[in-house]
Each structure stands twice: as structure tokens, then as C-alpha cells.
Amino acid sequence: MRKVPVVSKSIRIDIWSDIACPWCYIGKRRLESALATLGQGDDAPDVSIEYHSFELMPDMPRDYAGTHDAFLSARMGWPPEKVKASNQHLAQLGAPLGLDYRTDLIRMTNTVKAHQLLHYAKAHGKQVEMKERLLRAYFTDGRHVGEISELADLAAEIGLDRTDVKRSLDADEYRDAVEADKDLAVRHGIRGVPFFVVDGKYGLSGAQEPTTFLQALTKAVSDRRNAA
């Protein structure tokens, strides 16, 4: 990852992730834990977070007929007992973080429209809230995050204009922004998610432990102070 000049007052965190990525949800919570620790000091820095689009399954249809477990079996070649063990492992990891993985309710779908919604939410100052709502909708609530009307409902829940969201998604208003994020991931050599870039300098792949995130954040803060 190339180094870029520091131009803002806040520590910037860029995150490539997908709504249909269970590790992205875990990584989000672990990052939040690190940020809570970082924010306990009197001189804690401001932090800004921006989510970038990455599609793990761009070939997934909007209305997939099978279940989450059937998809894993077909895609990964896993027998039912391995799928069950994977689901249990996720549930065990997620529970201490306040995550309730309901793999039995997941509606498998293409996530490109959900990514467009995240760009819309960013333009209206609510991207982080929208990301959280989409992840919970997909992994806990069994909502259809590939359906425009469902996405508009979810957006309204966090205070966005439902009618305007539907207009935007119908028009593919942010499709180019989604593709630009994906192209940028390719240029950075990002092949899997979640992927975190702290202050344009430090790249972290995967759902790292909070201590690892904290180390990168602390180093970024130190770099700022040394530069000043």
C-alpha cells in the first residue's frame, strides 16, 4: 500500500466489504472495540470511516432459490456437517460481539443494489448507520437486501427519504460509484474482504482482533504527532 500525504485532521479508515460477508460484520465490531479503547484518552483523535464496495458474488442472482446452507454446499463443495460447523463457529464468534447470526433466515441475493444504497447514504451523511442496518438485515433479520422496495424500507428506518432512495436505486444512480470502488480495490491488490486501510498507510486484511486494529490506529496517531 503506497503512502499518501496527510491532509485531514481526523484519522481516516477506508473499509472494503460486502453486505453478504459474515467476517465483515465481525471485523466491524472488532474495529469498533478498538476505536472505543482509542477514544478513552483526553487527546483521542477524530476518526472518519468510509465504506467501499466489494462484491464477493457478483454472479449471484437477485432471487436465489436455494438456502444459505445449500449455497455453501454447492459453492464450496462442503458436506452438510461442515456447513453446520461453519454456522456454529460464526454464531460462537459473533455472540460476544452482540451479533446474532441467523443463517437459517438468510436470503441469498446479489448485493449490488445494497452497495448503491451505501453510496446514497454516504452522500446524505448516514453511511455508517446504513452499513450497520444492512448487515443486521441480512444476517439476523432475514430481509431481502437485493430487493429495491426492501432496501428503501431499511433506508427509511435510519431516517433517509424512502421515495428518493427508491428513485435513486431504480435509476442506478450510484452504479458507477460501486464500480469505481471495485476498480480501486483491484489497483490496491485487494482480493478479499474485509480489508481496512488506516490513514492511507496501513492495510489490514480480514477480521483482525481489536488489539491489532488498535496498534495500527495508535501508529497512525503517532505518525500525525511526529509530523506536526
Side-chain angles (χ1 to χ4, degrees):
M1 188 67 62
R2 67 184 181 87
K3 290 192 175 184
V4 296
V6 174
V7 295
S8 65
K9 293 182 180 180
S10 63
I11 300 296
R12 177 185 172 96
I13 304 175
D14 293 279
I15 307 172
W16 275 263
S17 68
D18 195 2
I19 290 87
C21 167
W23 293 102
C24 293
Y25 208 0
I26 290 172
K28 182 177 184 294
R29 280 293 185 274
R30 290 176 174 175
L31 173 64
E32 289 166 352
S33 177
L35 289 172
T37 301
L38 185 72
Q40 290 176 0
D42 294 335
D43 57 348
D46 292 330
V47 176
S48 64
I49 294 175
E50 181 172 339
Y51 284 97
H52 299 276
S53 303
F54 191 103
E55 290 183 81
L56 286 171
M57 301 173 289
D59 57 338
M60 174 67 70
R62 186 189 69 176
D63 296 304
Y64 179 74
T67 64
H68 167 266
D69 289 6
F71 174 80
L72 277 185
S73 291
R75 184 92 164 196
M76 307 299 293
W78 291 355
E81 58 269 20
K82 186 169 183 178
V83 173
K84 182 179 179 180
S86 175
N87 292 340
Q88 290 174 340
H89 182 55
L90 277 176
Q92 290 168 357
L93 287 175
L97 301 171
L99 305 182
D100 181 16
Y101 282 106
R102 290 296 307 275
T103 51
D104 58 314
L105 298 179
I106 287 176
R107 300 283 298 275
M108 303 293 294
T109 186
N110 188 287
T111 59
V112 67
K113 289 292 185 181
H115 283 296
Q116 290 184 42
L117 175 55
L118 285 169
H119 280 279
Y120 178 97
K122 180 177 74 172
H124 292 79
K126 287 183 172 288
Q127 191 189 44
V128 173
E129 296 94 325
M130 194 74 257
K131 182 70 172 185
E132 176 68 23
R133 187 64 191 96
L134 285 169
L135 286 167
R136 180 161 59 88
Y138 185 81
F139 285 109
T140 301
D141 300 339
R143 305 283 286 271
H144 192 332
V145 301
E147 180 64 50
I148 288 177
S149 61
E150 191 86 81
L151 291 171
D153 288 342
L154 292 168
E157 289 182 22
I158 67 160
L160 293 172
D161 185 315
R162 187 188 188 284
T163 300
D164 194 53
V165 166
K166 188 174 184 305
R167 173 204 61 77
S168 177
L169 296 178
D170 281 333
D172 281 329
E173 183 177 20
Y174 289 97
R175 182 60 187 259
D176 288 346
V178 172
E179 296 303 319
D181 273 354
K182 291 162 61 178
D183 289 344
L184 186 57
V186 171
R187 294 200 298 274
H188 283 332
I190 299 170
R191 298 183 179 180
V193 289
F195 194 93
F196 304 81
V197 180
V198 178
D199 225 23
K201 297 180 180 180
Y202 306 109
L204 298 168
S205 179
Q208 300 287 337
E209 292 291 340
T211 52
T212 303
F213 283 123
L214 187 59
Q215 288 171 0
L217 290 163
T218 302
K219 185 65 170 67
V221 172
S222 178
D223 289 347
R224 290 295 186 94
R225 289 173 181 165
N226 291 337

